[in-house]
Amino acid sequence: MSNLHNDHPATIDLLNRDRLKALLFDQISKPDKLPLVFGVHGDWGAGKTSFLQQLQTDLDNEVKAPHVVTVWFEAWRYQHESAPVIALLQEIRQQLSTHKKLLSKVSTLSDELPLLPRTRS
């Protein structure tokens, strides 16, 4: 069965949106440009989720954007709630808490590692 017809977000850009993704990445990763809000609009199946997950992956993995913390929230899951903002705030709190714990563990591990002498290349 072909993977082109499933409903899972694509991890590789098959719609040639790398230039747009790079443009947004550059805007988001510049601290002097924050705060920044942008919207992604399109019909069902247009690739919005794939695009945003690819952008999130780039932001989360890029050393040039250490001040950026991404939070994934699927608003459509809460479209029938009377106050979906509560779900959004809970998701932000949970994901930021997880991010903070991860940074703390990395910091603790780096403190415990012995310093190695630098070598010249």
Side-chain angles (χ1 to χ4, degrees), residues 17-28:
R17 294 181 176 160
D18 280 333
R19 285 184 55 201
L20 177 59
K21 188 173 61 166
L23 175 69
L24 283 175
F25 179 92
D26 287 342
Q27 291 296 310
I28 294 168

Side-chain angles (χ1 to χ4, degrees), residues 32-120:
D32 61 321
K33 298 286 184 181
L34 298 177
L36 174 69
V37 176
F38 64 92
V40 177
H41 302 275
D43 292 335
W44 184 90
K48 299 178 299 292
T49 300
S50 295
F51 176 78
L52 288 172
Q53 285 191 356
Q54 291 166 20
L55 179 60
Q56 179 183 33
T57 298
D58 289 354
L59 288 165
D60 288 348
N61 294 330
E62 184 60 45
V63 176
K64 295 177 190 171
H67 62 284
V68 175
V69 176
T70 61
V71 174
W72 191 260
F73 180 73
E74 295 176 341
W76 64 269
R77 292 182 185 263
Y78 305 95
Q79 64 185 333
H80 300 296
E81 296 288 328
S82 60
V85 70
I86 293 172
L88 172 62
L89 294 172
Q90 288 175 336
E91 195 64 33
I92 291 170
R93 185 183 71 188
Q94 188 273 324
Q95 289 187 39
L96 289 180
S97 174
T98 300
H99 178 78
K100 186 176 178 182
K101 287 176 187 174
L102 179 63
L103 285 178
S104 176
K105 285 185 181 188
V106 168
S107 177
T108 300
L109 285 174
S110 68
D111 289 345
E112 294 175 4
L113 292 174
L115 290 175
L116 299 176
R118 287 187 176 196
T119 59
R120 292 189 174 168

